[in-house]
């Protein structure tokens, strides 16, 4: 399981130029079942993705394909989590 932090970078003013591709990238991750949750980091600091069912290598490639990352709109940090305990609703993550 992974948390991907997408924090705004020096080229954040170009977000509008890359927004369509970024949204398509998000949709593809959700459709593929790799992204479980996508949302904003408040207040207006960027975004975050909860990912599952992939390897670190595959996720790094996927993240690098994000137009926001490629365009330096955001910098990406991938945090790997080894789940140990979970509420039964999230048992599939164990």
């Amino acid at each position: 399981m992974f948390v991907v932090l997408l924090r705004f970078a020096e080229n954040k003013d170009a977000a509008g130029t890359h927004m369509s591709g970024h949204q398509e990238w998000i949709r593809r991750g959700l459709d593929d079942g790799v992204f479980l949750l996508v949302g904003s980091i408040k207040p207006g600091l960027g975004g975050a993705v909860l990912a599952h069912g992939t390897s670190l290598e595959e996720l790094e490639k996927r993240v690098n394909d994000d137009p926001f990352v490629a365009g330096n709109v955001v910098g990406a940090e991938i945090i790997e989590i080894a789940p140990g305990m979970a509420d039964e609703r999230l048992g599939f993550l164990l």
Side-chain angles (χ1 to χ4, degrees), residues 11-92:
N11 200 24
K12 87 178 224 181
D13 291 339
T17 303
H18 300 286
M19 184 60 75
S20 175
H22 177 67
Q23 289 175 337
E24 182 179 312
W25 174 81
I26 291 169
R27 176 60 45 210
R28 192 168 46 252
L30 291 167
D31 289 347
D32 291 346
V34 173
F35 295 171
L36 300 177
L37 177 81
V38 179
S40 297
I41 300 173
K42 298 293 183 181
L45 301 175
V49 177
L50 182 61
H52 177 68
T54 189
S55 69
L56 178 57
E57 267 184 6
E58 290 170 353
L59 184 58
E60 287 172 337
K61 181 181 180 329
R62 184 182 291 266
V63 167
N64 288 332
D65 286 343
D66 177 2
F68 269 19
V69 173
N72 200 31
V73 173
V74 298
E77 178 184 3
I78 299 174
I79 302 166
E80 186 169 5
I81 299 172
M85 293 187 289
D87 180 280
E88 65 183 41
R89 293 170 293 176
L90 297 176
F92 69 95

